[in-house]
Amino acid sequence: KVTHPQTGGGIEGVLILSKQTGRSLVTNHKGQADISAFPTTDTLSFSHLGYYFLQKTIAELAQNNFQIALGEKVISLDKVVI
């Protein structure tokens, strides 16, 4: 499950990409995705607009009960031109 670090709620639409196979999937509205098809030795990358990119091995995910929190990426703008 992919969650927001402050609220603990699931993040929908997180792209999960397998480093070994190149296959990808996206989390559902609860922040969940079925990664059982990926090799147990695989490294997965997690990305979503507005959040920091994260890479974890499946072994690292297993240590945390297959739960990770993506940190919000806040960017401020100096100027907006319309």
Side-chain angles (χ1 to χ4, degrees):
K1 183 174 183 178
V2 182
T3 60
H4 187 279
Q6 280 80 30
T7 67
I11 303 173
E12 181 177 7
V14 175
L15 177 66
I16 302 172
L17 179 64
S18 163
K19 193 171 185 177
Q20 283 185 9
T21 67
R23 294 170 55 194
S24 64
L25 52 92
V26 177
T27 57
N28 65 15
H29 68 284
K30 294 180 181 178
Q32 300 170 332
D34 183 3
I35 62 170
S36 62
F38 294 132
T40 57
T41 56
D42 208 346
T43 297
L44 303 178
S45 63
F46 299 82
S47 61
H48 193 289
L49 188 62
Y51 292 88
Y52 286 102
F53 175 84
L54 186 64
Q55 272 193 332
K56 294 280 184 182
T57 65
I58 290 186
E60 290 172 320
L61 292 171
Q63 291 174 355
N64 289 322
N65 202 24
F66 293 95
Q67 292 195 33
I68 62 164
L70 286 185
E72 269 189 304
K73 190 174 193 177
V74 179
I75 300 172
S76 62
L77 300 175
D78 292 331
K79 183 183 352 179
V80 177
V81 178
I82 299 176

